[in-house]
Amino acid sequence: MLPFAVSPDPLRGRYEAVIDGRVRVVEYEPDTELRDTEQVPLTEAAGEYADGIEAFFRREVEPYAPDAWIDETKTKIGYEISFTRHFYKPTTMRTLAEIQADIRALEAETDNLIAEIAGED
């Protein structure tokens, strides 16, 4: 149960419930197996809502999970830059001919070693 001054706000996980015959505001404990995250574009328009996050939530989440809510303690705002995706330069792969030449050289080397072990000259 939350203090009397708190008003119900299903978007934030606060719901009205009747406890001992009195209407109170309660905050449910989240089910960790149902927890999910969303990446909301910074350019998301607020429209008729308080901010872009709420607009995105109402449009993309609420129709599919009406009992979902936003945990504002976990909300992060900013950009994520994948340095690997933007700056990584892969090394060129060896050609098939180079690989075949290496294999043939190793085979010749092992043939010579077998001949030495067997005592053949």
Side-chain angles (χ1 to χ4, degrees):
M1 276 190 304
L2 297 170
F4 283 109
V6 175
S7 59
D9 185 1
L11 182 66
R12 310 271 179 309
R14 294 186 296 265
Y15 301 90
E16 274 189 355
V18 177
I19 299 172
D20 296 329
R22 297 169 49 191
V23 176
R24 298 294 307 259
V25 176
V26 296
E27 189 171 56
Y28 294 123
E29 188 172 317
D31 184 347
T32 56
E33 292 186 17
L34 297 176
R35 184 173 290 149
D36 194 12
T37 59
E38 294 287 339
Q39 291 186 351
V40 180
L42 284 176
T43 57
E44 183 73 37
E48 62 190 67
Y49 300 107
D51 56 21
I53 295 172
E54 182 178 349
F56 181 89
F57 180 84
R58 300 273 187 201
R59 185 183 72 246
E60 300 291 335
V61 177
E62 202 171 43
Y64 307 103
D67 59 343
W69 69 82
I70 298 172
D71 184 356
E72 290 179 335
T73 62
K74 307 239 191 281
T75 301
K76 298 177 191 173
I77 298 176
Y79 280 106
E80 179 178 322
I81 299 172
S82 172
F83 288 99
T84 304
R85 188 166 123 207
H86 295 288
F87 301 110
Y88 176 71
K89 301 288 186 229
T91 57
T92 56
M93 302 294 284
R94 297 187 308 159
T95 65
L96 186 56
E98 291 172 328
I99 295 170
Q100 287 173 336
D102 286 347
I103 291 172
R104 287 193 182 103
L106 288 171
E107 284 177 343
E109 185 181 327
T110 56
D111 286 344
N112 293 338
L113 288 174
I114 290 174
E116 284 178 29
I117 292 171
E120 301 171 12
D121 281 337

